[in-house]
Amino acid sequence: MTTTTRARPKALILTPAAEARIAALMSRAPADAIGVKLSTPRRGCSGLAYSVDYVTEAKPLDERIDTPGGTLFVDGGSILYLIGSTMDWVEDDFTAGFTFQNPNAKGSCGCGESFTV
């Protein structure tokens, strides 16, 4: 009897705009940066917020997503809150930033900076 394994689904989907923004960040990153890291620290009025920062070392439990312009790491402690999410980069006349469509979020604050699961 043979076992068939299916391809592992991506933990996080990146739009082309998000990939381009990661490439732009990495083009001017500090010399010791190996990528950028997405995490969900506890803050804001709803409990969790999205945070993207440069990272200098990979942690064993972090999810690694290679993009054409650099590597995105997803914090191992945050991955369960983010599975199935889409990460995008949006710019308009007044703001610019990463946005998230997160199917795990049960609510968010009025300003959109934090969410709850």
Side-chain angles (χ1 to χ4, degrees):
M1 179 177 195
T2 61
T3 302
T4 304
T5 56
R6 60 186 173 103
R8 182 176 170 206
K10 292 182 181 180
L12 184 73
I13 299 162
L14 300 173
T15 66
E19 288 182 349
R21 181 60 182 174
I22 290 169
L25 288 170
M26 290 309 298
S27 72
R28 59 179 181 272
D32 60 344
I34 62 168
V36 293
K37 185 173 187 174
L38 172 61
S39 60
T40 56
R42 296 200 177 278
R43 72 171 183 241
C45 33
S46 288
L48 298 170
Y50 301 103
S51 179
V52 179
D53 302 290
Y54 290 113
V55 64
T56 57
E57 67 176 294
K59 305 266 181 178
L61 297 178
D62 288 349
E63 184 79 18
R64 180 186 177 119
I65 301 171
D66 292 313
T67 73
T71 303
L72 172 70
F73 294 90
V74 182
D75 176 63
S78 301
I79 196 70
L80 289 177
Y81 305 130
L82 299 169
I83 290 176
S85 295
T86 299
M87 181 177 176
D88 194 10
W89 176 259
V90 177
E91 291 184 42
D92 64 25
D93 291 340
F94 301 104
T95 62
F98 286 108
T99 61
F100 298 87
Q101 291 179 317
N102 186 343
N104 307 298
K106 301 299 181 216
S108 62
C109 65
C111 64
E113 292 295 318
S114 63
F115 68 100
T116 186
V117 290

